[in-house]
Amino acid sequence: MPGTTGARMTVNGTETPISPCAPHTTALDFLRERGLTGTKEGCAEGECGACSVMVARPGVHKPTDWVAVNACLVPAAALDGQEIVTAEGLATAGEPGTAPTLHPVQEEMAVRGGSQCGYCTPGFVCSMAAEYYRPGRCEHSATATGTAPSADAEHGPNGFDLHALSGNLCRCTGYRPIRDAAFAVGAPADDDPLARRRELPPPAPVTTEYARDGKVFLRKSTLAETLRVLRERPDAVVVAGSTDWGVEVNIRARRADCVIAIDRLPELRELRVESDHIEIGAALTLTEIERRLDGDVPLLAELFPQFASRLIRNGATLGGNLGTGSPIGDSAPVLLALDASLVLTDAEGERVVPLADYFTGYRQSVRRPGELIRAVRVPLPLAPVTALHKIAKRRFDDISSVAVAFALDIEDGLVRTARIGLGGVAATPIRSLATEAALEGKPWSARTAEAAARVLRGEGTPMSDHRASALYRSAMLGQSLLKLHAQTTEAVSS
C-alpha cells in the first residue's frame, strides 16, 4: 500500500483533503460541510438510506464495482485514498450557462414521480445507481432477451433487483413510482463515464495515520503491522464496515482514542475453497461473499437477503458481526448450524476455535486482547437439508426476535447428523445440543419432529422484551422444527 502525506479522498472526480475534520467525523458530515447537501441524515443508524453514496470498490465480476454505502456510518478518514460519488456527481455537466444533463436514474425518478418531499431522493438515487451499474444486471432481463417480464415483484424486467433499495426509506410512501423508475432504467450507455470506470482497477488501499485533537485513525498495510499496533494498543477499536461502531459514534456519542481499520487488509479478504473446508476472510463484506459464493453454500445464500439491508451488507463483515458478540447477530446461528470454526490471530500466531466454543457470555468471547478474527472456516461436505427461520416484525431489514438455522444430513429416512444454531434466546448464540441429540439416529418422521420440537422449546433462556415475549420465543423454536419437517416432507413428496 502506498503511504499518504495527507488524508484525502476523491469526491465526484475532485481530490478533497479530509483535514481538518476529527477522526470520528462521518463521511455524511464531511460531505455536507463541503456543500454536498444532497447527502442527508435521516436516522444516523444506517436504517433509512438518506445518506447513501457510491464508493469504488474491488469488483467481483469487473475490476471495480460501484457500491452504495451509508455515509452516516463510515468515518471520513476510512475513505482515505478512495473514490466516492454523491447524487450531485451523477449528472453530467453541460456547457457554461446550461443545466447539467440528468443521469438516467435521476431522469426516471423525475418523470415517473419518484420524488415527493425529496428528502430521501438523493439516497434512493445513489442506491439505484449502484444497482444500475451492477455487472450482468441486463444480461438476463426481459429487455435483453425479448421475453415477458418476470412475475417476481422484487425483480424488474430490466434485471433490477429491488433488494438494492431495501435500506432506503421513503416516509411519503412513494414506493410505487420509485419502483417504476427502478424497473424502467436501461443499460448504461457505452460512453457512460461511471460504467467505463468499472473496467479500471479500484483505488489502491493506502496507509493512513490521521490524528487530530489527541485521537487517531489508523490503517496499516499488512496484517502483521496491524497486529503489532494492537499489541501496543489493546484498547483500540477495530472497524471494518463501521456498521456497528458508526451507531455508537452517532447515537451514543462514543469517541475512541484509537481506531484501527482492517477492511482493506489483503490477508483478511481471501475466499478459498479447499477439499475439506471453505475459508472466508473476516473482512470480506457480506455482499462480496454472497456474489463470490453464488449460492454454493445454500444456508448462507438464505441468510444474505434477510441480513439487514443491501446498504448494510455492502459494508458489514462476518468478522464484525461475530466480533461484537451480539446474541442477535444473524450470522452466528447460521454458522453454528454449519459447524464453522474461527481462525483467530495475534502477533504471536494463530489458533482455530470452533464457533460453538467462541462465545462465553453476553458480548463476550474467548478472543484475547490484541487478537483478531482472520477467517471463518466452514467444513465440507455441507449438510444437504438446511433452512433459516428468522422471526421478526418486518420481512426485511429488521432485528430478529428469534433466529433458527438447521443443517441436517438425512439418509434413507434417518437423521444421520443434526446441527441447529439459535439466536435471540440466550445471552449468546447457542447450539441446540439437546435437540440435536433428540434427532440424530431417529427416523425423519412427524413423531420424531414433534418430540424434538418439545425439546427445542426448552432450549436457551429466552427473555421478554419489546420485540417478543419469552413464551412467544419458545413457541417459535418448536414451531420452526415442525415447519422444517413439513417443508422437507413436501419437497420429497413433490
PDB file of all heavy atoms in Angstrom, residues 283-311:
ATOM      1  N   ALA A 283     -12.820  -9.893   6.644  1.00  0.00           N
ATOM      2  CA  ALA A 283     -13.075  -8.523   6.214  1.00  0.00           C
ATOM      3  C   ALA A 283     -13.757  -8.437   4.855  1.00  0.00           C
ATOM      4  O   ALA A 283     -13.953  -7.338   4.336  1.00  0.00           O
ATOM      5  CB  ALA A 283     -11.777  -7.714   6.185  1.00  0.00           C
ATOM      6  N   LEU A 284     -14.134  -9.573   4.278  1.00  0.00           N
ATOM      7  CA  LEU A 284     -14.967  -9.527   3.082  1.00  0.00           C
ATOM      8  C   LEU A 284     -16.366  -9.062   3.476  1.00  0.00           C
ATOM      9  O   LEU A 284     -16.915  -9.502   4.492  1.00  0.00           O
ATOM     10  CB  LEU A 284     -15.056 -10.905   2.431  1.00  0.00           C
ATOM     11  CG  LEU A 284     -13.831 -11.392   1.667  1.00  0.00           C
ATOM     12  CD1 LEU A 284     -13.989 -12.865   1.315  1.00  0.00           C
ATOM     13  CD2 LEU A 284     -13.604 -10.566   0.406  1.00  0.00           C
ATOM     14  N   THR A 285     -16.962  -8.179   2.691  1.00  0.00           N
ATOM     15  CA  THR A 285     -18.320  -7.756   3.007  1.00  0.00           C
ATOM     16  C   THR A 285     -19.297  -8.882   2.691  1.00  0.00           C
ATOM     17  O   THR A 285     -19.001  -9.787   1.906  1.00  0.00           O
ATOM     18  CB  THR A 285     -18.721  -6.504   2.219  1.00  0.00           C
ATOM     19  OG1 THR A 285     -18.848  -6.842   0.829  1.00  0.00           O
ATOM     20  CG2 THR A 285     -17.697  -5.388   2.387  1.00  0.00           C
ATOM     21  N   LEU A 286     -20.465  -8.813   3.291  1.00  0.00           N
ATOM     22  CA  LEU A 286     -21.477  -9.842   3.040  1.00  0.00           C
ATOM     23  C   LEU A 286     -21.889  -9.868   1.569  1.00  0.00           C
ATOM     24  O   LEU A 286     -22.159 -10.935   1.017  1.00  0.00           O
ATOM     25  CB  LEU A 286     -22.687  -9.608   3.934  1.00  0.00           C
ATOM     26  CG  LEU A 286     -22.432  -9.651   5.439  1.00  0.00           C
ATOM     27  CD1 LEU A 286     -23.740  -9.522   6.200  1.00  0.00           C
ATOM     28  CD2 LEU A 286     -21.706 -10.907   5.851  1.00  0.00           C
ATOM     29  N   THR A 287     -21.934  -8.713   0.948  1.00  0.00           N
ATOM     30  CA  THR A 287     -22.257  -8.673  -0.483  1.00  0.00           C
ATOM     31  C   THR A 287     -21.185  -9.378  -1.299  1.00  0.00           C
ATOM     32  O   THR A 287     -21.491 -10.144  -2.226  1.00  0.00           O
ATOM     33  CB  THR A 287     -22.414  -7.216  -0.949  1.00  0.00           C
ATOM     34  OG1 THR A 287     -23.564  -6.642  -0.323  1.00  0.00           O
ATOM     35  CG2 THR A 287     -22.597  -7.139  -2.460  1.00  0.00           C
ATOM     36  N   GLU A 288     -19.917  -9.141  -0.967  1.00  0.00           N
ATOM     37  CA  GLU A 288     -18.838  -9.814  -1.687  1.00  0.00           C
ATOM     38  C   GLU A 288     -18.906 -11.321  -1.497  1.00  0.00           C
ATOM     39  O   GLU A 288     -18.722 -12.094  -2.457  1.00  0.00           O
ATOM     40  CB  GLU A 288     -17.486  -9.282  -1.211  1.00  0.00           C
ATOM     41  CG  GLU A 288     -17.193  -7.857  -1.651  1.00  0.00           C
ATOM     42  CD  GLU A 288     -15.915  -7.312  -1.053  1.00  0.00           C
ATOM     43  OE1 GLU A 288     -15.676  -7.522   0.162  1.00  0.00           O
ATOM     44  OE2 GLU A 288     -15.149  -6.674  -1.782  1.00  0.00           O
ATOM     45  N   ILE A 289     -19.174 -11.770  -0.288  1.00  0.00           N
ATOM     46  CA  ILE A 289     -19.276 -13.213  -0.024  1.00  0.00           C
ATOM     47  C   ILE A 289     -20.444 -13.798  -0.809  1.00  0.00           C
ATOM     48  O   ILE A 289     -20.328 -14.850  -1.448  1.00  0.00           O
ATOM     49  CB  ILE A 289     -19.452 -13.475   1.483  1.00  0.00           C
ATOM     50  CG1 ILE A 289     -18.242 -12.965   2.272  1.00  0.00           C
ATOM     51  CG2 ILE A 289     -19.657 -14.964   1.749  1.00  0.00           C
ATOM     52  CD1 ILE A 289     -18.470 -12.919   3.771  1.00  0.00           C
ATOM     53  N   GLU A 290     -21.572 -13.113  -0.763  1.00  0.00           N
ATOM     54  CA  GLU A 290     -22.763 -13.584  -1.467  1.00  0.00           C
ATOM     55  C   GLU A 290     -22.482 -13.764  -2.957  1.00  0.00           C
ATOM     56  O   GLU A 290     -22.823 -14.797  -3.555  1.00  0.00           O
ATOM     57  CB  GLU A 290     -23.901 -12.585  -1.271  1.00  0.00           C
ATOM     58  CG  GLU A 290     -25.178 -12.925  -2.009  1.00  0.00           C
ATOM     59  CD  GLU A 290     -26.239 -11.852  -1.839  1.00  0.00           C
ATOM     60  OE1 GLU A 290     -25.909 -10.722  -1.413  1.00  0.00           O
ATOM     61  OE2 GLU A 290     -27.413 -12.140  -2.140  1.00  0.00           O
ATOM     62  N   ARG A 291     -21.845 -12.781  -3.560  1.00  0.00           N
ATOM     63  CA  ARG A 291     -21.626 -12.833  -5.003  1.00  0.00           C
ATOM     64  C   ARG A 291     -20.491 -13.788  -5.380  1.00  0.00           C
ATOM     65  O   ARG A 291     -20.529 -14.396  -6.455  1.00  0.00           O
ATOM     66  CB  ARG A 291     -21.379 -11.421  -5.532  1.00  0.00           C
ATOM     67  CG  ARG A 291     -22.661 -10.576  -5.452  1.00  0.00           C
ATOM     68  CD  ARG A 291     -22.481  -9.140  -5.867  1.00  0.00           C
ATOM     69  NE  ARG A 291     -23.779  -8.446  -5.771  1.00  0.00           N
ATOM     70  CZ  ARG A 291     -23.933  -7.133  -5.885  1.00  0.00           C
ATOM     71  NH1 ARG A 291     -22.873  -6.350  -6.097  1.00  0.00           N
ATOM     72  NH2 ARG A 291     -25.132  -6.594  -5.784  1.00  0.00           N
ATOM     73  N   ARG A 292     -19.515 -13.944  -4.518  1.00  0.00           N
ATOM     74  CA  ARG A 292     -18.430 -14.884  -4.838  1.00  0.00           C
ATOM     75  C   ARG A 292     -18.867 -16.333  -4.657  1.00  0.00           C
ATOM     76  O   ARG A 292     -18.503 -17.202  -5.446  1.00  0.00           O
ATOM     77  CB  ARG A 292     -17.207 -14.577  -3.966  1.00  0.00           C
ATOM     78  CG  ARG A 292     -16.513 -13.260  -4.300  1.00  0.00           C
ATOM     79  CD  ARG A 292     -15.172 -13.158  -3.609  1.00  0.00           C
ATOM     80  NE  ARG A 292     -14.610 -11.820  -3.743  1.00  0.00           N
ATOM     81  CZ  ARG A 292     -13.396 -11.490  -3.351  1.00  0.00           C
ATOM     82  NH1 ARG A 292     -12.611 -12.403  -2.785  1.00  0.00           N
ATOM     83  NH2 ARG A 292     -12.937 -10.261  -3.505  1.00  0.00           N
ATOM     84  N   LEU A 293     -19.631 -16.603  -3.618  1.00  0.00           N
ATOM     85  CA  LEU A 293     -20.106 -17.977  -3.416  1.00  0.00           C
ATOM     86  C   LEU A 293     -21.203 -18.338  -4.417  1.00  0.00           C
ATOM     87  O   LEU A 293     -21.337 -19.510  -4.798  1.00  0.00           O
ATOM     88  CB  LEU A 293     -20.629 -18.151  -1.989  1.00  0.00           C
ATOM     89  CG  LEU A 293     -19.576 -18.192  -0.882  1.00  0.00           C
ATOM     90  CD1 LEU A 293     -20.246 -18.275   0.488  1.00  0.00           C
ATOM     91  CD2 LEU A 293     -18.609 -19.355  -1.063  1.00  0.00           C
ATOM     92  N   ASP A 294     -22.011 -17.353  -4.802  1.00  0.00           N
ATOM     93  CA  ASP A 294     -23.042 -17.547  -5.830  1.00  0.00           C
ATOM     94  C   ASP A 294     -23.917 -18.763  -5.542  1.00  0.00           C
ATOM     95  O   ASP A 294     -24.177 -19.587  -6.415  1.00  0.00           O
ATOM     96  CB  ASP A 294     -22.378 -17.677  -7.202  1.00  0.00           C
ATOM     97  CG  ASP A 294     -23.376 -17.516  -8.347  1.00  0.00           C
ATOM     98  OD1 ASP A 294     -24.430 -16.894  -8.129  1.00  0.00           O
ATOM     99  OD2 ASP A 294     -23.099 -18.035  -9.449  1.00  0.00           O
ATOM    100  N   GLY A 295     -24.359 -18.897  -4.289  1.00  0.00           N
ATOM    101  CA  GLY A 295     -25.295 -19.962  -3.923  1.00  0.00           C
ATOM    102  C   GLY A 295     -24.655 -21.288  -3.577  1.00  0.00           C
ATOM    103  O   GLY A 295     -25.366 -22.257  -3.276  1.00  0.00           O
ATOM    104  N   ASP A 296     -23.329 -21.381  -3.579  1.00  0.00           N
ATOM    105  CA  ASP A 296     -22.663 -22.660  -3.312  1.00  0.00           C
ATOM    106  C   ASP A 296     -22.832 -23.127  -1.861  1.00  0.00           C
ATOM    107  O   ASP A 296     -22.645 -24.308  -1.566  1.00  0.00           O
ATOM    108  CB  ASP A 296     -21.172 -22.564  -3.646  1.00  0.00           C
ATOM    109  CG  ASP A 296     -20.923 -22.530  -5.151  1.00  0.00           C
ATOM    110  OD1 ASP A 296     -21.850 -22.873  -5.901  1.00  0.00           O
ATOM    111  OD2 ASP A 296     -19.801 -22.153  -5.556  1.00  0.00           O
ATOM    112  N   VAL A 297     -23.155 -22.208  -0.951  1.00  0.00           N
ATOM    113  CA  VAL A 297     -23.498 -22.573   0.431  1.00  0.00           C
ATOM    114  C   VAL A 297     -24.946 -22.136   0.643  1.00  0.00           C
ATOM    115  O   VAL A 297     -25.208 -20.989   1.004  1.00  0.00           O
ATOM    116  CB  VAL A 297     -22.561 -21.910   1.451  1.00  0.00           C
ATOM    117  CG1 VAL A 297     -22.914 -22.348   2.875  1.00  0.00           C
ATOM    118  CG2 VAL A 297     -21.094 -22.236   1.144  1.00  0.00           C
ATOM    119  N   PRO A 298     -25.913 -23.036   0.399  1.00  0.00           N
ATOM    120  CA  PRO A 298     -27.326 -22.628   0.403  1.00  0.00           C
ATOM    121  C   PRO A 298     -27.792 -21.938   1.682  1.00  0.00           C
ATOM    122  O   PRO A 298     -28.614 -21.009   1.621  1.00  0.00           O
ATOM    123  CB  PRO A 298     -28.062 -23.952   0.182  1.00  0.00           C
ATOM    124  CG  PRO A 298     -27.087 -24.805  -0.573  1.00  0.00           C
ATOM    125  CD  PRO A 298     -25.744 -24.445  -0.012  1.00  0.00           C
ATOM    126  N   LEU A 299     -27.269 -22.365   2.828  1.00  0.00           N
ATOM    127  CA  LEU A 299     -27.719 -21.744   4.076  1.00  0.00           C
ATOM    128  C   LEU A 299     -27.252 -20.294   4.163  1.00  0.00           C
ATOM    129  O   LEU A 299     -27.988 -19.418   4.627  1.00  0.00           O
ATOM    130  CB  LEU A 299     -27.222 -22.551   5.278  1.00  0.00           C
ATOM    131  CG  LEU A 299     -27.833 -22.211   6.640  1.00  0.00           C
ATOM    132  CD1 LEU A 299     -29.354 -22.208   6.587  1.00  0.00           C
ATOM    133  CD2 LEU A 299     -27.338 -23.174   7.709  1.00  0.00           C
ATOM    134  N   LEU A 300     -26.036 -20.009   3.712  1.00  0.00           N
ATOM    135  CA  LEU A 300     -25.585 -18.618   3.658  1.00  0.00           C
ATOM    136  C   LEU A 300     -26.376 -17.834   2.621  1.00  0.00           C
ATOM    137  O   LEU A 300     -26.724 -16.665   2.834  1.00  0.00           O
ATOM    138  CB  LEU A 300     -24.094 -18.555   3.336  1.00  0.00           C
ATOM    139  CG  LEU A 300     -23.133 -18.893   4.475  1.00  0.00           C
ATOM    140  CD1 LEU A 300     -21.689 -18.900   3.978  1.00  0.00           C
ATOM    141  CD2 LEU A 300     -23.282 -17.909   5.637  1.00  0.00           C
ATOM    142  N   ALA A 301     -26.684 -18.470   1.498  1.00  0.00           N
ATOM    143  CA  ALA A 301     -27.475 -17.804   0.467  1.00  0.00           C
ATOM    144  C   ALA A 301     -28.855 -17.421   0.994  1.00  0.00           C
ATOM    145  O   ALA A 301     -29.424 -16.395   0.603  1.00  0.00           O
ATOM    146  CB  ALA A 301     -27.608 -18.702  -0.757  1.00  0.00           C
ATOM    147  N   GLU A 302     -29.392 -18.239   1.904  1.00  0.00           N
ATOM    148  CA  GLU A 302     -30.684 -17.923   2.512  1.00  0.00           C
ATOM    149  C   GLU A 302     -30.553 -16.796   3.529  1.00  0.00           C
ATOM    150  O   GLU A 302     -31.486 -16.002   3.722  1.00  0.00           O
ATOM    151  CB  GLU A 302     -31.258 -19.175   3.175  1.00  0.00           C
ATOM    152  CG  GLU A 302     -32.712 -19.055   3.546  1.00  0.00           C
ATOM    153  CD  GLU A 302     -33.320 -20.371   4.017  1.00  0.00           C
ATOM    154  OE1 GLU A 302     -32.656 -21.424   3.902  1.00  0.00           O
ATOM    155  OE2 GLU A 302     -34.466 -20.345   4.509  1.00  0.00           O
ATOM    156  N   LEU A 303     -29.389 -16.708   4.160  1.00  0.00           N
ATOM    157  CA  LEU A 303     -29.163 -15.663   5.163  1.00  0.00           C
ATOM    158  C   LEU A 303     -29.078 -14.279   4.548  1.00  0.00           C
ATOM    159  O   LEU A 303     -29.666 -13.326   5.062  1.00  0.00           O
ATOM    160  CB  LEU A 303     -27.873 -15.962   5.932  1.00  0.00           C
ATOM    161  CG  LEU A 303     -27.266 -14.800   6.733  1.00  0.00           C
ATOM    162  CD1 LEU A 303     -28.134 -14.462   7.937  1.00  0.00           C
ATOM    163  CD2 LEU A 303     -25.846 -15.131   7.188  1.00  0.00           C
ATOM    164  N   PHE A 304     -28.312 -14.135   3.475  1.00  0.00           N
ATOM    165  CA  PHE A 304     -27.932 -12.811   2.998  1.00  0.00           C
ATOM    166  C   PHE A 304     -29.121 -11.877   2.753  1.00  0.00           C
ATOM    167  O   PHE A 304     -29.100 -10.732   3.230  1.00  0.00           O
ATOM    168  CB  PHE A 304     -27.062 -12.924   1.746  1.00  0.00           C
ATOM    169  CG  PHE A 304     -25.711 -13.528   2.016  1.00  0.00           C
ATOM    170  CD1 PHE A 304     -25.222 -14.543   1.224  1.00  0.00           C
ATOM    171  CD2 PHE A 304     -24.931 -13.084   3.072  1.00  0.00           C
ATOM    172  CE1 PHE A 304     -23.981 -15.104   1.471  1.00  0.00           C
ATOM    173  CE2 PHE A 304     -23.690 -13.643   3.338  1.00  0.00           C
ATOM    174  CZ  PHE A 304     -23.212 -14.664   2.532  1.00  0.00           C
ATOM    175  N   PRO A 305     -30.178 -12.288   2.048  1.00  0.00           N
ATOM    176  CA  PRO A 305     -31.284 -11.337   1.821  1.00  0.00           C
ATOM    177  C   PRO A 305     -31.989 -10.918   3.111  1.00  0.00           C
ATOM    178  O   PRO A 305     -32.657  -9.875   3.129  1.00  0.00           O
ATOM    179  CB  PRO A 305     -32.246 -12.115   0.904  1.00  0.00           C
ATOM    180  CG  PRO A 305     -31.436 -13.211   0.316  1.00  0.00           C
ATOM    181  CD  PRO A 305     -30.428 -13.572   1.349  1.00  0.00           C
ATOM    182  N   GLN A 306     -31.841 -11.701   4.175  1.00  0.00           N
ATOM    183  CA  GLN A 306     -32.517 -11.396   5.435  1.00  0.00           C
ATOM    184  C   GLN A 306     -31.623 -10.644   6.413  1.00  0.00           C
ATOM    185  O   GLN A 306     -32.077 -10.276   7.500  1.00  0.00           O
ATOM    186  CB  GLN A 306     -32.997 -12.698   6.095  1.00  0.00           C
ATOM    187  CG  GLN A 306     -33.960 -13.501   5.238  1.00  0.00           C
ATOM    188  CD  GLN A 306     -34.470 -14.734   5.954  1.00  0.00           C
ATOM    189  OE1 GLN A 306     -35.216 -14.646   6.927  1.00  0.00           O
ATOM    190  NE2 GLN A 306     -34.060 -15.905   5.479  1.00  0.00           N
ATOM    191  N   PHE A 307     -30.370 -10.422   6.041  1.00  0.00           N
ATOM    192  CA  PHE A 307     -29.427  -9.747   6.915  1.00  0.00           C
ATOM    193  C   PHE A 307     -29.488  -8.248   6.630  1.00  0.00           C
ATOM    194  O   PHE A 307     -28.967  -7.767   5.628  1.00  0.00           O
ATOM    195  CB  PHE A 307     -28.013 -10.281   6.674  1.00  0.00           C
ATOM    196  CG  PHE A 307     -27.000  -9.834   7.700  1.00  0.00           C
ATOM    197  CD1 PHE A 307     -26.454 -10.745   8.586  1.00  0.00           C
ATOM    198  CD2 PHE A 307     -26.594  -8.514   7.784  1.00  0.00           C
ATOM    199  CE1 PHE A 307     -25.522 -10.342   9.529  1.00  0.00           C
ATOM    200  CE2 PHE A 307     -25.668  -8.101   8.721  1.00  0.00           C
ATOM    201  CZ  PHE A 307     -25.129  -9.014   9.593  1.00  0.00           C
ATOM    202  N   ALA A 308     -30.160  -7.506   7.509  1.00  0.00           N
ATOM    203  CA  ALA A 308     -30.256  -6.047   7.399  1.00  0.00           C
ATOM    204  C   ALA A 308     -30.695  -5.655   5.990  1.00  0.00           C
ATOM    205  O   ALA A 308     -31.688  -6.154   5.475  1.00  0.00           O
ATOM    206  CB  ALA A 308     -28.928  -5.402   7.785  1.00  0.00           C
ATOM    207  N   SER A 309     -29.945  -4.751   5.338  1.00  0.00           N
ATOM    208  CA  SER A 309     -30.277  -4.259   4.002  1.00  0.00           C
ATOM    209  C   SER A 309     -29.053  -4.366   3.109  1.00  0.00           C
ATOM    210  O   SER A 309     -27.932  -4.613   3.584  1.00  0.00           O
ATOM    211  CB  SER A 309     -30.712  -2.792   4.085  1.00  0.00           C
ATOM    212  OG  SER A 309     -29.604  -1.979   4.470  1.00  0.00           O
ATOM    213  N   ARG A 310     -29.260  -4.147   1.811  1.00  0.00           N
ATOM    214  CA  ARG A 310     -28.116  -4.173   0.896  1.00  0.00           C
ATOM    215  C   ARG A 310     -27.090  -3.115   1.282  1.00  0.00           C
ATOM    216  O   ARG A 310     -25.879  -3.356   1.231  1.00  0.00           O
ATOM    217  CB  ARG A 310     -28.592  -3.967  -0.542  1.00  0.00           C
ATOM    218  CG  ARG A 310     -27.479  -3.850  -1.568  1.00  0.00           C
ATOM    219  CD  ARG A 310     -26.652  -5.116  -1.662  1.00  0.00           C
ATOM    220  NE  ARG A 310     -27.407  -6.208  -2.262  1.00  0.00           N
ATOM    221  CZ  ARG A 310     -26.994  -7.474  -2.258  1.00  0.00           C
ATOM    222  NH1 ARG A 310     -25.863  -7.810  -1.654  1.00  0.00           N
ATOM    223  NH2 ARG A 310     -27.717  -8.420  -2.807  1.00  0.00           N
ATOM    224  N   LEU A 311     -27.539  -1.934   1.691  1.00  0.00           N
ATOM    225  CA  LEU A 311     -26.598  -0.887   2.103  1.00  0.00           C
ATOM    226  C   LEU A 311     -25.717  -1.357   3.251  1.00  0.00           C
ATOM    227  O   LEU A 311     -24.506  -1.124   3.259  1.00  0.00           O
ATOM    228  CB  LEU A 311     -27.359   0.374   2.518  1.00  0.00           C
ATOM    229  CG  LEU A 311     -27.823   1.301   1.398  1.00  0.00           C
ATOM    230  CD1 LEU A 311     -28.775   2.351   1.952  1.00  0.00           C
ATOM    231  CD2 LEU A 311     -26.646   1.973   0.721  1.00  0.00           C
TER     232      LEU A 311
END
